[in-house]
Amino acid sequence: MREKIKVAVGMSGGVDSSVTALLLKKEGFEVIGLTMNIALTPQERYEACCSWSSINDAMRVAHSLGIPHFVVNLKKEFEERIIKYFIDSYINGYTPNPCVFCNRLIKFDLLLRKAQELGAEYLATGHYVRKVWDPLKNVFLLKRAKDQKKDQSYFLSFLTQDQISKALFPLGNLTKEEVRRIARDNGLIVAEKGESQEICFLPDKDYRKFLKQYVNEKSGKIVTEDGKIVGYHDGIFSFTIGQRRGLKVALGKPVYVKDIDTKSGNVFVAEKEKIFRREVYAVNVNYPSYIPEEKELRVNAMIRYNMKPSPATLHILSEKEVFVVFDEPQWAVTPGQILVCYKDDFVLCGGVIEREKKN
C-alpha cells in the first residue's frame, strides 16, 4: 500500500490557508504546516500575513488539526529579494507589486524548498486560483478562480511551470463564503478573522513612512503638461500614476499624476481624461505555461489587481517583451505594476509595465 502523499501548507494564520490545511487532511494527505517568519515586530503588524499574531494563529490551527507545524525564518532572503526591490522601484519612479515577486521568489521558491526538505511533494496555499492539466499541450495551466471577486491568479502570473507542477490550490473551486462556512462548521478559531492587507510588511499601511527609513528625500517640482510649475515635493517616491491626494496644488480643478521624470525629479500632473491610455508596454515577461505560436492574438488583460479583465490585442515583440492595445482606454497605466493577459480565463503571461517603448 502506497504511503500517504505529504503536502506542506503555507499557513499564514488566516481563514484561507487554515481551510486549505483542513481540506487536504480530510482528503487523506499527510499534511504539515509551514509559516514564514520575516521578523516583523509585534508593534508593527498585528493582523498581517507573517506577523507574530498570525504566526501564533497558524500554530494554534495546526495544533487543532493535529498536524506538525514549522516556522521558517526567511528574514534575510525577504529583505534581499522583496524589500530591496520595493525600495529601488519607488526610487526609480516605479510602483512595485511585491506580492507577485514574493510568490515567485519566496513562497514557491524558498518555502517550497523547505517543504521538499521535510519530505513534502507539494506546497499548497490558500490562493483562489485553479490549476488545470492540459493534455494536448502537456502543461499545467492557471485558471481564474470560481469566485472571480477573490481570484488571485494575477498574483501568480510569474510562477514557472515547474513551480505550478509542485503547487496545490484547494480553494480554486470555492467561494469565500463557502470557505468561511467550512471554517465555522469545523470550529476553526480563525473562521471570522478579517482579511489581511495586501502588502504585509508595511506598518500602518503607509508605504511613504516605510520608505523614509531608507530613502533620502530629494525635492522636485510639480509641473503641468504645458510646463507651468504649480508646486514642489520632497521626493518622487511619494507619487504614483493616477494619484490625486497629497499633491498640495490648487488649480481650481482636480489634477492627477500623469508621469514621473526620474532624471529631473519632476512630477507631471494633468486632468483626469489625460490619465487614460490604451497602449501598454511590458518587459521581463513570464509565460507560466507556454509561449503561443501567434505573435498577435486577442486576450483579456489586467493592469492592476481587482480590475475586471478587459478585451485587448496582445503583440508579442520578443520572448520578454509585449505590447498590448486595449479596446477601451484604461485608467492610470502605471510603470512597475504587472500586466497580466488571459486567454479563455487562463493566465497566458505576466510582465512588468514599462514606460512607453522607445523606438
Side-chain angles (χ1 to χ4, degrees), residues 16 34 37 60 67 90 93 104 120 135 147 150 154 157 180 186 188 193 195 197 199 212 226 231 248-249 322 324:
D16 295 329
L34 299 182
N37 174 14
R60 293 169 65 197
I67 63 174
Y90 275 108
R104 165 75 176 255
D147 188 342
K150 291 296 299 178
Y154 178 92
S157 58
R180 285 213 184 270
N186 287 273
L188 294 184
K193 187 173 180 178
E195 301 286 333
Q197 71 171 60
I199 300 178
K212 285 180 179 179
D226 58 5
K248 298 178 182 178
V249 298
V322 298
V324 166

Side-chain angles (χ1 to χ4, degrees), residues 135-159:
L136 297 178
K137 292 185 173 66
N138 203 36
V139 295
F140 287 104
L141 306 173
L142 290 176
K143 186 177 183 180
R144 299 192 76 214
K146 172 185 174 181
D147 188 342
Q148 299 210 345
K149 290 182 180 178
K150 291 296 299 178
D151 173 59
Q152 292 170 306
S153 58
Y154 178 92
F155 293 119
L156 301 172
S157 58
F158 269 61
L159 295 191

Side-chain angles (χ1 to χ4, degrees), residues 83-100:
I83 300 293
K84 186 178 185 300
Y85 146 75
F86 185 81
I87 295 167
D88 289 348
S89 294
Y90 275 108
I91 289 175
N92 290 291
Y94 293 90
T95 302
N97 193 309
C99 297
V100 170

Side-chain angles (χ1 to χ4, degrees), residues 239-303:
F239 300 93
T240 186
I241 306 301
Q243 178 179 332
R244 177 184 174 187
R245 293 185 178 179
L247 298 181
K248 298 178 182 178
V249 298
L251 299 179
K253 57 188 176 184
V255 292
Y256 304 78
V257 175
K258 182 181 180 183
D259 197 11
I260 300 169
D261 187 339
T262 57
K263 291 183 180 179
S264 68
N266 290 343
V267 173
F268 292 90
V269 296
E271 294 178 58
K272 188 171 185 177
E273 60 268 20
K274 299 290 186 69
I275 313 301
F276 286 89
R277 272 177 47 194
R278 292 180 61 217
E279 300 83 11
V280 180
Y281 173 56
V283 298
N284 298 326
V285 176
N286 178 69
Y287 295 86
S289 300
Y290 65 93
I291 301 177
E293 295 180 2
E294 310 98 307
K295 297 303 179 185
E296 180 180 316
L297 63 162
R298 294 290 293 169
V299 296
N300 286 314
M302 299 169 64
I303 57 170

